[in-house]
Amino acid sequence: MAAGTWLFRGGLVAVLGAAVAGSTYVSAVNSRSDDYAFFDPLIEVKSVLNQRFVDDLDERELQLGAIRGMLETLHDDYTVYVPGTLKNEFEKEILGEYVGIGAQILIEDNYLKIVSPLEDSPAFAAGLMPDDRVIEIEGKSTFGLSTQECADLLTGKPGTPVSLLVERAGASGPERLTITITRDQIKTRAVKGFHRLPSGDWEFMIDHERGIGYIRLTQFTPRCSDEVKAALDALGAPAGGLKGLVLDLRGNPGGVLQDAVAIADMFLDSGIIVSTRGRAFPEEVDRARKTGTLPDFPMVVMVNESSASASEVLSGALVDNDRAIVLGTRSFGKGSVQSVQMVPSTPGDQIKVTERRYYLPSGRSIQRKPGSPEWGVDPTPGFYVPISDEQFREMLGVRREQEILRVRDGQTEDAHWGDPDWIIENLKDPQLAAAVKAVRLRLENGAWQPTGEQGLSGNEQAAQELADLEVQRDRIERALERVAEREEQLRTASGDVAPPTPPDFVPDNAAMAGGTMELRDASGNVVAKLRITRDDIERWLVDAPLENDAKGDAAGDAGE
């Protein structure tokens, strides 16, 4: 799902009340007549298809196709229709909630591996540990299954048990044990520190000597502002124990706007936080209130090109009100707000619709527009700290290790979290090092001193992105040249031997766009029905784990 900011409302319910004046009554009737007239061509087209189309029609697919086509004309990637079949995955992504065991997983050596149980999760309570290899789930082997297939087996209704056959490394070799876990509602925590304590809790104080804290907010899930407040309380912020803060919004795609406003209000005692405007809505202005404002302390907000939407609202509000500086690279540039509405006529279906744009306290929109050199939130001059793709991958690798929840015996570690040089050397994170250094210098000298570069202007930023795209294009062209050269070499080397014929899944010249594809499980049951949008579907199938199976086709047909 694309990055976004959401408002939550009750539903799409239209009510026609009794008119109390003639003019109001006429307006209502005319409006309703216009709505009905809009659907006349759709109804007529559907009638023709019902009467004349060569194959049986799937009315649900026709309905969804009409809706998607209507939304595509808006040219807005964030206005989408979500059928009920995708509701659970959609809500898991935007709410950070689901029913399951609560564990990070991946596929390694064809088996399911536990990366880490989540804190306060059924998996952690049952004793599941990092690096456990899950051999079976409810007696079904995980060998060869995808991550999603395994996740589907692990999720279910609250209170239901799921049995796992686990292989765990031991002193005398691998041992196998059965662990039964009771599924429960899981809420993914959006707030993290930089390091796990032996207890499994997050460490938020990155420099104990100087009282500098660190909070990483991964997504603006509902009530994540409560998590931020709890972390600030743990740092002693309300009582003045926190002397400086690094708020890390890198990679945060956005989420619930209300929580971004609530977090900004913790640090601001006055001023505009954000304003929103839309065609169907009057302007709304969120202002900071003095009640509950934390004591003043130096603050650095970290953003990058993946910080979007609500992340930009929060960072923009803090920098525009002179409450914080911004460090890193320019943010994504998404300045629209979506609401999630239910569709009463089709229970379970939802529509996420862009209804407003938001504006920073300065009045500037952060929305990225085609051809415009200005968008997003820029680092404060002197605090532009770019990192390469390789550095970013190294940093993520180290971060994943720090996130793993392990049961430890309280041992101490030889770490110097508040030392920028140590952070660069061990955490591979030059941006975090520059942020910690900036707060330290501010505390020592009473003024902000640059720990990065001056930064790029809007035109320079656009030119840099253009240069990056040109590099990518050159790489692709060189790769194609190497492929062509290798093809010619192999053609010469193969002589008269004909190369194997690639899989032929689709008859030549078949018109595939607009058709459908059915996926069946091993028992022949239809588990998904997909709409084909391009004629060249075969080129996307040749690398898939598929093979022609006439026997399987016959069995599938017989099972209908």
Side-chain angles (χ1 to χ4, degrees), residues 324-401:
I325 65 167
V326 175
L327 182 147
T329 55
R330 178 182 281 189
S331 62
F332 182 82
K334 180 188 176 295
S336 58
V337 183
Q338 286 72 42
S339 67
V340 178
Q341 309 284 345
M342 307 306 295
V343 182
S345 63
T346 314
D349 286 15
Q350 303 175 76
I351 181 172
K352 181 164 72 76
V353 57
T354 298
E355 61 180 31
R356 311 183 209 180
R357 298 201 188 281
Y358 55 70
Y359 298 83
L360 298 179
S362 63
R364 183 174 69 87
S365 170
I366 64 167
Q367 181 69 26
R368 182 170 187 165
K369 300 175 183 177
S372 173
E374 301 294 339
W375 69 86
V377 176
D378 281 306
T380 302
F383 296 93
Y384 171 68
V385 184
I387 61 174
S388 67
D389 292 343
E390 183 178 354
Q391 287 175 312
F392 186 68
R393 285 192 294 269
E394 286 185 337
M395 181 268 290
L396 288 182
V398 176
R399 175 189 284 180
R400 278 193 290 268
E401 284 298 310

Side-chain angles (χ1 to χ4, degrees), residues 117-402:
L118 304 180
E119 57 264 50
D120 301 328
S121 69
F124 186 66
L128 207 61
M129 296 178 65
D131 299 326
D132 279 349
R133 173 181 286 191
V134 180
I135 304 300
E136 294 179 358
I137 303 173
E138 287 293 310
K140 181 178 178 64
S141 173
T142 66
F143 183 83
L145 297 184
S146 67
T147 305
Q148 185 58 53
E149 289 172 325
C150 291
D152 290 342
L153 293 173
L154 293 171
T155 55
K157 295 182 179 180
T160 59
V162 57
S163 178
L164 277 60
L165 177 61
V166 171
E167 184 177 270
R168 179 177 296 168
S172 57
E175 59 176 330
R176 290 195 174 188
L177 59 157
T178 299
I179 298 178
T180 300
I181 305 173
T182 301
R183 299 181 180 99
D184 201 353
Q185 190 75 28
I186 306 297
K187 183 182 186 304
T188 305
R189 292 194 178 181
V191 171
K192 300 182 179 183
F194 60 94
H195 174 62
R196 292 279 195 182
L197 294 169
S199 63
D201 295 329
W202 281 106
E203 170 66 273
F204 296 109
M205 189 66 80
I206 197 167
D207 187 338
H208 285 270
E209 180 182 349
R210 297 170 181 82
I212 302 173
Y214 171 87
I215 295 175
R216 179 160 63 92
L217 183 58
T218 61
Q219 186 178 351
F220 287 85
T221 55
R223 300 176 300 281
C224 70
S225 54
D226 294 337
E227 294 184 47
V228 172
K229 184 180 183 303
L232 290 166
D233 289 345
L235 287 166
L242 182 62
K243 304 304 180 184
L245 178 67
V246 175
L247 178 61
D248 192 348
L249 301 179
R250 292 176 297 174
N252 185 320
V256 182
L257 178 63
Q258 294 95 322
D259 280 87
V261 171
I263 295 169
D265 194 27
M266 297 177 190
F267 302 103
L268 300 171
D269 59 9
S270 63
I272 295 175
I273 295 174
V274 67
S275 60
T276 56
R277 300 195 292 272
R279 178 185 60 83
F281 300 90
E283 180 179 21
E284 291 186 8
V285 180
D286 288 290
R287 299 178 182 273
R289 299 165 296 175
K290 190 174 183 63
T291 304
T293 304
L294 294 170
D296 193 32
F297 45 74
M299 186 173 176
V300 173
V301 182
M302 302 174 67
V303 300
N304 63 7
E305 58 276 5
S306 298
S307 304
S309 204
S311 295
E312 297 169 296
V313 168
L314 177 54
S315 57
L318 294 174
V319 73
D320 276 8
N321 284 287
D322 295 323
R323 178 60 187 86
I325 65 167
V326 175
L327 182 147
T329 55
R330 178 182 281 189
S331 62
F332 182 82
K334 180 188 176 295
S336 58
V337 183
Q338 286 72 42
S339 67
V340 178
Q341 309 284 345
M342 307 306 295
V343 182
S345 63
T346 314
D349 286 15
Q350 303 175 76
I351 181 172
K352 181 164 72 76
V353 57
T354 298
E355 61 180 31
R356 311 183 209 180
R357 298 201 188 281
Y358 55 70
Y359 298 83
L360 298 179
S362 63
R364 183 174 69 87
S365 170
I366 64 167
Q367 181 69 26
R368 182 170 187 165
K369 300 175 183 177
S372 173
E374 301 294 339
W375 69 86
V377 176
D378 281 306
T380 302
F383 296 93
Y384 171 68
V385 184
I387 61 174
S388 67
D389 292 343
E390 183 178 354
Q391 287 175 312
F392 186 68
R393 285 192 294 269
E394 286 185 337
M395 181 268 290
L396 288 182
V398 176
R399 175 189 284 180
R400 278 193 290 268
E401 284 298 310
Q402 297 298 329

Side-chain angles (χ1 to χ4, degrees), residues 93-124:
E93 185 159 348
I94 68 173
L95 300 178
E97 298 180 1
Y98 61 98
V99 174
I101 66 170
Q104 296 174 334
I105 61 176
L106 58 76
I107 299 298
E108 185 176 276
D109 298 330
N110 289 314
Y111 279 100
L112 180 67
K113 177 183 176 182
I114 302 298
V115 177
S116 176
L118 304 180
E119 57 264 50
D120 301 328
S121 69
F124 186 66

